[in-house]
Amino acid sequence: MPGLTPLGLSLLALLGLTVGAPLCLSRLLKMQGDYMLGGLFPMSSAEGTGFGDRTRPESITCKRFSGFGLLWALAVKMAVDEINNGSALLPGLRLGYDLFDTCSEPMVAMKPSLVFLAKAGSRNIAAYCNYTQYQPRVLAVIGPYSSELALVTGKFFSFFLMPQVSYGASIDRLSDREMFPSFFRTVPSDRVQLRAIVELLVAFSWNWVAAVGSDDEYGRQGLSIFSNLASARNICIAHEGLVPLPQSHRTPLGQVEKLLQVVNQSNVQVVVLFASARAAHALFSYSVHSQLTPKVWVTSEAWLASDLVATVPGMAQVGTVLGFLQHSDPLPEFRSYVAAYLALAADPAFCTSLDAAQPGLEEDVVGPRCPQCDHVTLKNLLAWLTNHRFFAAYAAVYSVAQALHNTLRCNASGCPARKPVQPWQLLDRMYNMRFHARDLELSFDASGNVDMKYDLTLWMWRGQEPEVRTVGIFDGQLRLNRSQIKWHTLGNQEPPVSQCSRQCAEGQVRRVKGSHSCCYDCVDCRAGTYRRTQDDLFCTQCGLNEWSPDRSTRCFPRRPKFLAWGEPITLGLLMLLGLVLGLTLAALGLFVRHWDSPMVQASGGPLACFGLACLGLACLSVLLFPGWPSPTGCLAQQPLFHLPLTGCLSTLFLQAAETFVESELPPGWMGRLQGWFRGPRAWLIVLLAVLAQAALCAWYLVAFPFKVVTDWQALPQEVLVHCCMHSWISFGLVHATNAILAFLCFLGTFLVQSQPSRYNRARGLTFATLSHFIIWISFVPLFANVHVAYQPAVQMTAILLCALGILASVHLPKCYLLLWYPALNTPEFFLGEGPGSMGETRENQESVTLDPVSPPPVTPDPDLQSGARAGRRQHLGQSPSSGGEHSGQRQPPGPLKARVSTTDRNAPARTTAVASTRDRAWQACIQAG
C-alpha cells in the first residue's frame, strides 16, 4: 500500500466499482505489529434481534450495516498506516490493530473486549492476584462510539487499567476518575454540548421548550444536566419525557404516542431531543406517522450523525433539525484512502495474498468480523463520507501512539529495543498529555477529556437525504450565521417563537404564574426601583443617593434640595423683605428727623425708635433660611427672630399699658404709674422681657437643638437637606413670651374708649396684635401640613407678614400724618393737652362730637376739670404748680384751643376757628386709622 499513488488509487477504485464479486474488506480489519491496538466500531446494528428471547449465550447475528462504523475503523487504519510510515512517532516500530464490530450492543461488545484482555499469544484470561506484569493482547482500545457501550466496557477495562480512548462516548458520567480511571476520549463531554444547546436556545429567545431523552443512561443523565443548565438561564421545560428503547420487534408505541401528545399540547415549538439513535428512530417514526405539528428539533450528536434516523421515511416533514457536531480538522485524503482500500478489497490477487501474510482472524471465536462490509461499494459510502467527520477516531490513535512514544522514551533517531509494555504504564503518560493530530494540538485534562469546538449544523433536505450545513460554531461562545438557516416556518426566514409569555417591556419585571418561571405577568417597576436585567423577577431598589421614575431600567443620582437663593419663591420673599425693611428704615428715619415732635414723643420717643430697629432686625433674620443649611444657621434662626420681636412687642406693650391706664383707670393712677411707661423704668421692662425670651431660647437650643438632617425619603428625585425641628411643644414655648406680650397689648387696647379729639393710638395697637395672632395661628396648621421642603419659606413669610402687620398698624399711620398732615403734629392731638381735652371725662366722652352742626357739649364739673388737668400735666412730666406760676393760677390755652365756659351755659358752643380745626382733625384720624 505505501507505493500506491493517488492516480493508482483512483484507478483501483474504478476497478472496484465494476467488480461484482464479494470484497475481502473484513480481512483488512486486523494487522500484526510490534504493539497492538484494539478497536470497537458500530459497523452494523442488531435491529430486529430479540435479545429478550435469548435462552442461551449464543452468538448474535447483526444484520443491518452501518457505514459510519466502517469509516471510523478505516480512519483508525489510516492513522496507523501514517504512524508506521512516518518517523515522528515510534520510529522503527510498527503498530498493529485488531478491529471488531460491536453491533451497537453491550452484549456483542463484551466478546471482543474479552479477546483484547486475553493473554498475549493465547485465548485465555488468567486469574491473578496481581496483574502488574500481566501482558494482554493489546496495549489500548480505541472505542467504542456510544456512551451506553462505553459505560460497560469502561468499567471492565478500568479493572485492568487498560487505556481506552473513545471517539464518540460523550456522557458526562465517564469523567468520573474513580469509576473510570483508564477512560479517555477525543470528544468533549456532554456537558459542553448541552451548554452549547442552552446558548442556542438563549440566542433565539426560546424559553419554553420540551426536553425528551432516551430511556437509558445516556438520555437520563443528559436530561438531568440540561435541566440544571436551562434553569440557570431561565429556560422553562414545559414537559420532560423519556422515549423507551425498542425491544425484540416491538416498539412501545403507546408510550411514544402519549409522549408526543403531551409535547403537542404544551404549545412548545422547540423540542430538545437528547437520545440515542434507536430511541430517536422510534420517536420520529411515530411522529411522521401521526403527522405531528412541525417543530424545531435541537438534537444531540448521538443521533444527528446517524443514518438510522436520517433515512426514516417522511423525515423531511418533522420540521427544522439543528444540532451540534464535533468540530475537527478535515481529512481531505480520507476519501481517496477509502476508495483505494475498496479497490484493493475487490482485487482477488490482493485478497489471496492476505491469506498468506495474515494469520487467522479467529472467526471461530468472535464470529464474522463484518460480513456486510464485503458487499459495500464506494457509492454506498459517499453519503457518509460527506455528512460526517472522522477526525476523533483518527486522533484517538495518535493519542495512544504519543503515550507509547513517551513511555518508550523514543526520540527522532529511534526507539530503544522493543521491550514489553504493560497497559497501565501508558496511563501515567496520558494524563494531561499533549499530542498532535495533523495540525491540531490536543491535550487530555485530569478527567480524560479534550477541549474541542462544536459546529452547529442544520439538516437541509435534498430529496430523501439530508445535507448537513454548518451554520455556526461554539467554542465557549456561540457564533451564528443566521442568514444560512432555513426554517420550516412560512417564508423560511423567521425562526418560530417558543415562549410561554411575551417579553416584558422596558422597566417591567416578571410575576411568575404557576410552577414555571417562564409563564408570568409583567409588572411595572415603581418609582425608586428599576429593572436590572431582562430576566429579573423583582425590581431592584435604588440606593439612598439615587432615584428612578416609574418603569425605569436604571437609577439616577439625587440632587440636594434646599431653599435656594435663586428659586422664584425665595426671590419673591426677598422682594417682600426689601419692601418691609425699606418701610421700617423709612419710618425710623422719619422718627429720628422729627425726634422732638409731639407725635414721636407720644409714640414713646427712643422706645419707638428702638422698637422699629428691633422690627428691622427681626426682618433680617429671614436671611438665615435660604441657602445650604448649616448647623450654625439652624441654631441661630429662632433666637435671631424672637429676640428682636420681643424687643419690638415690649415697646408696644408699654404704649398699650399707658393707654389703658390713661383711659380706664382713675386719674390718680396715671401719676403713680407714669414712670413705668417712660424713662429708665420702661427700659428695664424691655430688658426683662428680652432676657426672659433669651433664657427661653437658650433652653430651647440646649434641650431641643435644631440639626441639619439629610432626608432621603421626603422627595422622590432629590435629597432634602433641612433644619429639623424635634418638638412642636418646645417650638411653641419659644413663641410664649411674644404671645404673652401681644395678648397683654390686645387686652389693654381692645375695650379702651378713645377720645374723638385725639389720635386713636389704641386702635393701631389692637390691629397690630390681631394681625400678630392671625398670622401665627394660621402659621401652625400651614407649617405642619406643608411639605418639609417648603417649611422655611412658610416661616419666612410669617415673619415678614408679622413685621408688616405691626408696621402698617402702628407706625405707618403716624408717618402718613407726619408727612401729609403736619398741622396735626401738635400736643393737643397726640398728647391730649388743652381745655377741650382736659375738660372731658369718661362720663361725657360719648356726648362730645366734632360735627360742626351738633349742639354744644355739656360743661363738665369744675372740680373734675381741674383733676383732669392735673393728670395731663403729670403725663407731660410737669408738676401741678409748674410753668412759672403758682398752683392757683391756670395756663392760658394754646392758640388753637377754644375755652369752654363752665358757668355760662347760654354762650356759643365754639368759635368758628375751633370748629374748623376739630373737623380737620377728625377727618385726618379717619383717613389715618
Side-chain angles (χ1 to χ4, degrees):
M1 282 304 299
L4 290 174
T5 64
L7 179 60
L9 291 175
S10 300
L11 292 174
L12 288 173
L14 291 175
L15 290 174
L17 291 175
T18 60
V19 177
L23 308 179
C24 59
L25 192 59
S26 60
R27 303 184 201 177
L28 296 174
L29 298 180
K30 182 177 181 180
M31 184 180 73
Q32 291 296 324
D34 297 326
Y35 298 95
M36 296 293 293
L37 301 179
L40 299 173
F41 302 94
M43 290 179 276
S44 60
S45 63
E47 183 180 355
T49 303
F51 292 107
D53 299 332
R54 294 175 68 231
T55 58
R56 296 181 181 181
E58 298 173 343
S59 178
I60 298 174
T61 302
C62 302
K63 301 177 181 180
R64 191 177 189 278
F65 173 71
S66 173
F68 285 134
L70 176 60
L71 292 175
W72 276 317
L74 293 178
V76 169
K77 182 175 176 57
M78 186 178 78
V80 172
D81 288 343
E82 287 181 356
I83 294 171
N84 290 339
N85 296 330
S87 59
L89 290 176
L90 303 174
L93 297 177
R94 290 184 60 82
L95 288 178
Y97 51 82
D98 199 1
L99 311 181
F100 287 92
D101 179 20
T102 63
C103 204
S104 299
E105 287 293 338
M107 287 181 289
V108 178
M110 282 305 300
K111 187 180 294 185
S113 299
L114 292 171
V115 172
F116 294 153
L117 287 174
K119 191 172 183 180
S122 73
R123 300 178 179 179
N124 304 321
I125 300 179
Y128 298 102
C129 293
N130 188 347
Y131 282 90
T132 303
Q133 301 300 323
Y134 184 75
Q135 188 69 52
R137 282 192 174 192
V138 298
L139 275 180
V141 177
I142 307 299
Y145 172 76
S146 72
S147 297
E148 184 181 8
L149 270 64
L151 289 173
V152 177
T153 60
K155 292 181 179 179
F156 183 59
F157 292 133
S158 292
F159 175 77
F160 296 91
L161 292 182
M162 175 177 285
Q164 177 185 7
V165 184
S166 174
Y167 50 91
S170 57
I171 188 172
D172 191 62
R173 185 180 172 188
L174 293 170
S175 299
D176 189 345
R177 291 291 88 183
E178 292 188 2
M179 295 184 64
F180 307 96
S182 64
F183 182 83
F184 298 85
R185 52 187 164 192
T186 53
V187 293
S189 163
D190 277 339
R191 185 174 295 273
V192 179
Q193 183 181 182
L194 288 166
R195 191 180 301 121
I197 291 176
V198 170
E199 291 297 328
L200 177 66
L201 300 180
V202 172
F204 288 105
S205 300
W206 293 329
N207 61 6
W208 185 242
V209 301
V212 179
S214 53
D215 193 8
D216 53 14
E217 186 72 18
Y218 174 77
R220 287 190 293 268
Q221 187 171 20
L223 286 186
S224 176
I225 297 174
F226 173 73
S227 179
N228 294 331
L229 294 175
S231 177
R233 300 299 298 271
N234 294 320
I235 297 173
C236 297
I237 300 176
H239 179 73
E240 186 174 315
L242 295 174
V243 180
L245 299 177
Q247 296 177 356
S248 62
H249 304 286
R250 298 187 307 273
T251 300
L253 294 180
Q255 300 181 33
V256 176
E257 178 183 8
K258 183 178 179 181
L259 174 63
L260 290 176
Q261 287 178 352
V262 172
V263 170
N264 213 24
Q265 293 172 359
S266 61
N267 197 29
V268 298
Q269 301 300 319
V270 177
V271 180
V272 176
L273 182 55
F274 203 85
S276 63
R278 287 194 301 150
H281 179 270
L283 180 69
F284 284 117
S285 296
Y286 187 83
S287 175
V288 172
H289 175 72
S290 60
Q291 296 182 348
L292 181 71
T293 304
K295 299 184 183 299
V296 175
W297 298 89
V298 181
T299 74
S300 62
E301 190 176 19
W303 69 266
L304 184 65
S306 172
D307 62 320
L308 182 65
V309 180
T311 55
V312 172
M315 187 66 187
Q317 310 303 320
V318 300
T320 304
V321 178
L322 283 168
F324 289 92
L325 290 176
Q326 180 187 350
H327 177 81
S328 58
D329 276 6
L331 300 174
E333 68 277 16
F334 183 59
R335 179 178 299 210
S336 59
Y337 183 86
V338 172
Y341 267 97
L342 289 177
L344 285 176
D347 184 5
F350 177 76
C351 294
T352 303
S353 66
L354 287 177
D355 295 335
Q358 196 74 274
L361 296 179
E362 300 176 310
E363 292 186 349
D364 58 323
V365 178
V366 297
R369 300 239 172 176
C370 182
Q372 298 89 346
C373 296
D374 293 337
H375 301 280
V376 73
T377 64
L378 181 61
K379 183 179 180 180
N380 300 138
L381 298 178
L382 283 179
W384 288 298
L385 283 170
T386 303
N387 292 347
H388 197 56
R389 325 284 173 81
F390 305 96
F391 181 79
Y394 175 87
V397 177
Y398 273 87
S399 66
V400 176
Q402 182 68 56
L404 181 59
H405 183 92
N406 296 341
T407 302
L408 295 174
R409 301 182 183 277
C410 299
N411 51 39
S413 59
C415 295
R418 182 178 180 276
K419 61 179 181 179
V421 176
Q422 279 71 37
W424 59 267
Q425 292 178 294
L426 299 182
L427 287 181
D428 290 337
R429 304 290 181 178
M430 294 184 71
Y431 284 118
N432 300 312
M433 180 187 71
R434 293 182 178 275
F435 61 97
H436 288 82
R438 293 298 172 100
D439 296 329
L440 187 64
E441 183 182 29
L442 303 174
S443 64
F444 290 124
D445 59 18
S447 300
N449 303 320
V450 294
D451 185 16
M452 297 186 70
K453 303 176 184 178
Y454 273 103
D455 290 333
L456 176 62
T457 59
L458 171 71
W459 276 8
M460 295 292 294
W461 291 93
R462 299 290 184 265
Q464 297 300 318
E465 294 183 357
E467 173 190 341
V468 178
R469 176 186 296 180
T470 300
V471 294
I473 191 170
F474 179 79
D475 55 357
Q477 292 183 344
L478 181 63
R479 293 190 291 273
L480 293 171
N481 189 353
R482 296 175 183 261
S483 61
Q484 295 294 319
I485 303 177
K486 303 299 180 184
W487 304 97
H488 65 274
T489 55
L490 185 63
N492 304 124
Q493 298 298 323
E494 294 296 327
V497 177
S498 188
Q499 297 175 347
C500 181
S501 300
R502 64 175 179 86
Q503 289 290 334
C504 289
E506 293 292 327
Q508 291 183 326
V509 294
R510 303 172 177 179
R511 178 179 293 170
V512 177
K513 299 185 299 184
S515 59
H516 292 290
S517 62
C518 299
C519 300
Y520 50 82
D521 294 325
C522 294
V523 181
D524 293 346
C525 286
R526 296 184 178 181
T529 62
Y530 71 101
R531 188 188 74 180
R532 185 168 48 187
T533 64
Q534 191 174 5
D535 298 328
D536 282 353
L537 299 179
F538 301 97
C539 297
T540 304
Q541 191 75 27
C542 292
L544 281 178
N545 59 339
E546 296 177 323
W547 73 278
S548 67
D550 291 334
R551 295 186 62 174
S552 178
T553 57
R554 55 169 294 194
C555 291
F556 304 91
R558 288 177 180 262
R559 295 174 299 165
K561 170 65 177 177
F562 53 90
L563 190 61
W565 290 97
E567 292 188 25
I569 188 172
T570 307
L571 297 176
L573 290 172
L574 291 178
M575 293 175 63
L576 181 60
L577 170 62
L579 174 64
V580 177
L581 193 59
L583 293 176
T584 303
L585 294 177
L588 180 59
L590 199 59
F591 276 34
V592 172
R593 183 176 180 183
H594 298 82
W595 183 267
D596 296 326
S597 67
M599 184 202 73
V600 177
Q601 296 303 316
S603 301
L607 286 175
C609 294
F610 176 75
L612 282 171
C614 289
L615 197 62
L617 291 176
C619 293
L620 289 175
S621 68
V622 301
L623 298 177
L624 296 172
F625 291 92
W628 183 274
S630 64
T632 303
C634 291
L635 292 175
Q637 286 175 358
Q638 302 304 321
L640 292 186
F641 163 62
H642 287 288
L643 290 176
L645 184 61
T646 302
C648 177
L649 290 177
S650 63
T651 61
L652 299 184
F653 165 72
L654 291 175
Q655 294 184 42
E658 182 181 9
T659 302
F660 177 78
V661 171
E662 181 183 27
S663 303
E664 302 298 327
L665 295 183
W669 284 82
M670 188 64 189
R672 288 192 294 270
L673 298 176
Q674 181 67 33
W676 292 98
F677 303 143
R678 299 175 184 272
R681 293 181 182 178
W683 288 103
L684 179 61
I685 292 175
V686 173
L687 179 61
L688 291 176
V690 173
L691 289 177
Q693 181 64 53
L696 200 57
C697 289
W699 166 81
Y700 177 69
L701 294 180
V702 173
F704 306 96
F706 270 71
K707 293 182 179 179
V708 179
V709 174
T710 302
D711 193 342
W712 302 96
Q713 305 297 330
L715 298 174
Q717 302 179 11
E718 298 163 311
V719 51
L720 181 62
V721 184
H722 66 102
C723 298
C724 179
M725 179 184 66
H726 294 283
S727 171
W728 272 100
I729 298 177
S730 60
F731 185 70
L733 290 177
V734 176
H735 288 261
T737 302
N738 294 330
I740 292 172
L741 290 174
F743 183 68
L744 293 177
C745 288
F746 180 76
L747 289 180
T749 58
F750 179 62
L751 297 177
V752 168
Q753 298 292 331
S754 61
Q755 299 179 10
S757 60
R758 293 184 53 191
Y759 179 75
N760 193 351
R761 181 170 57 178
R763 180 168 53 190
L765 293 173
T766 301
F767 280 115
T769 53
L770 278 177
S771 66
H772 181 276
F773 283 122
I774 291 173
I775 290 170
W776 289 106
I777 291 175
S778 302
F779 165 81
V780 173
L782 186 61
F783 187 82
N785 292 284
V786 78
H787 198 278
V788 182
Y790 301 104
Q791 286 182 352
V794 173
Q795 198 161 355
M796 290 175 63
T797 304
I799 292 173
L800 294 176
L801 291 180
C802 177
L804 185 60
I806 296 174
L807 192 64
S809 300
V810 177
H811 300 290
L812 292 185
K814 297 176 183 178
C815 296
Y816 173 76
L817 293 177
L818 191 62
L819 293 175
W820 277 272
Y821 293 94
L824 295 179
N825 190 9
T826 62
E828 295 86 353
F829 188 65
F830 286 100
L831 299 177
E833 288 191 356
S837 62
M838 289 185 292
E840 295 171 349
T841 63
R842 286 191 300 270
E843 290 80 357
N844 60 10
Q845 280 177 358
E846 295 181 359
S847 64
V848 177
T849 180
L850 293 180
D851 191 348
V853 298
S854 62
V858 179
T859 303
D861 186 88
D863 295 334
L864 294 177
Q865 183 180 4
S866 61
R869 185 180 302 112
R872 301 299 184 200
R873 288 197 185 101
Q874 291 181 2
H875 175 69
L876 296 174
Q878 301 174 352
S879 63
S881 60
S882 62
E885 297 182 6
H886 56 83
S887 58
Q889 295 177 336
R890 296 181 180 177
Q891 296 294 327
L896 297 179
K897 289 183 180 179
R899 182 181 300 274
V900 180
S901 173
T902 60
T903 58
D904 189 2
R905 298 179 181 273
N906 300 322
R910 293 177 180 86
T911 62
T912 304
V914 172
S916 177
T917 302
R918 290 190 175 182
D919 185 59
R920 290 196 304 271
W922 176 249
Q923 297 298 329
C925 288
I926 293 176
Q927 296 178 8

